[in-house]
Amino acid sequence: MKPKIEISHILNRQQFWRTSTHFLSRQKFDLHAITLCRTAKLGRHIDYCEKCSEVRISYNSCRNRNCPKCQATYREKWIAKREEEVLDVPYFHTVFTVSHKLNDLFLHEPELMYNLLFKTVWETVRTFGSKSLEGEMGMIAVLHTWGQNLSLHPHLHCIIPGGALCNGKHWKGSDKTGKYLFPAKALAKMFRAKLVDQIRKNDTSKAYFDQSIAKSCFEKEWVVYAKRPFGGAKQVIEYLGRYTHKTAISNHRLLDYSQGKVTFSYKDYRTGANKKEMTLSDVDFIKRYSMHLLPKGFRRIRHFGFYNGAIKKVKIEKIRKSIGQKTPQKVEWDWIK
Ligand SMILES: [Zn+2]
Ligand SMILES: [Zn+2]
């Protein structure tokens, strides 16, 4: 069903962002692209499916990865590709969250901080893998920068196969039952130490990071949320798709836009994921939304360990051989261009 209200409607009606100094030029570029997506301004194209002879005529999309409309296409392509890599082992979903004391730093140095987030999360998982399994782990990590109400809430969703490739040959499961990866509290502790250490070492972060922020980072435990493994390979891929190509808010969550006010729905996880509504002025809504437009060229989905690099395919084949899994067929993809 087509959503009643779209972000592009809000951006078209309230255009203060075009001239406001509050926004970086890259943010204006992204917002502009979203206003043009699937409109006559970008022209149209014809899709033809050879299998069912269906013909579709549609307006061209903006292909901006911050655009909510363009994400479904990217998601399906991405999922099809992942099917070639999935292993017949338990997978774990682990979410790494940072202290909100670092929000200013994330807001002003997004590229540096999001890169450090990926780096230190992987360093943590890699260290646990080599210490307790004596092998190489694999991980797919997806960056989300938002909380449900569009606030800044950087966190990394990590999908981790429960085990490691040992001696480049054998698969070693994280435990015999397949229900357990690493203790979440220990992961959180190491991750926090690594991230704070990296920030300390970095000169550009100094303006938004001092001794008192560093101290406050250690006052409270950081949250690493670990979910038990999901079903088989197919479920893993579907599950991944829910996280990989999200934008800060989907059009379907926009409930009303009138008299300069935007109302949207959100889930309040502090009260058992209750569905609530929030109303903001359109100006504030656009400002909040723009915090989540990532720097140009920034990769928000990253692959690590045996899921990364030139010999990824070789490593995956080695693991499959070790666990007795057949190589899945290559997925054909001829519909979405
Ligand atoms: Zn688009
Ligand atoms: Zn998330």
Side-chain angles (χ1 to χ4, degrees), residues 30-99:
D30 290 340
L31 295 175
H32 181 63
I34 295 169
T35 66
L36 298 182
C37 188
R38 312 241 173 109
T39 66
K41 283 185 186 147
L42 292 186
R44 13 171 246 171
H45 65 275
I46 296 167
D47 285 324
Y48 173 69
C49 176
E50 283 172 15
K51 284 189 187 133
C52 69
S53 303
E54 192 185 330
V55 175
R56 280 194 211 164
I57 300 172
S58 34
Y59 287 130
N60 291 338
S61 47
C62 70
R63 296 181 181 225
N64 186 297
R65 73 227 173 84
N66 289 302
C67 170
K69 273 190 210 167
C70 286
Q71 293 314 301
T73 315
Y74 287 130
R75 173 165 53 232
E76 283 171 47
K77 266 190 178 174
W78 191 85
I79 287 175
K81 196 92 194 88
R82 294 292 83 70
E83 284 176 5
E84 295 166 19
E85 301 171 353
V86 91
L87 296 167
D88 215 357
V89 301
Y91 276 75
F92 294 82
H93 177 206
T94 308
V95 187
F96 288 81
T97 313
V98 302
S99 162

Side-chain angles (χ1 to χ4, degrees), residues 34 137 182 189 200 268 301 311:
I34 295 169
M137 307 270 304
F182 303 126
K189 240 180 161 171
R200 274 203 181 115
D268 189 346
I301 306 171
I311 57 164

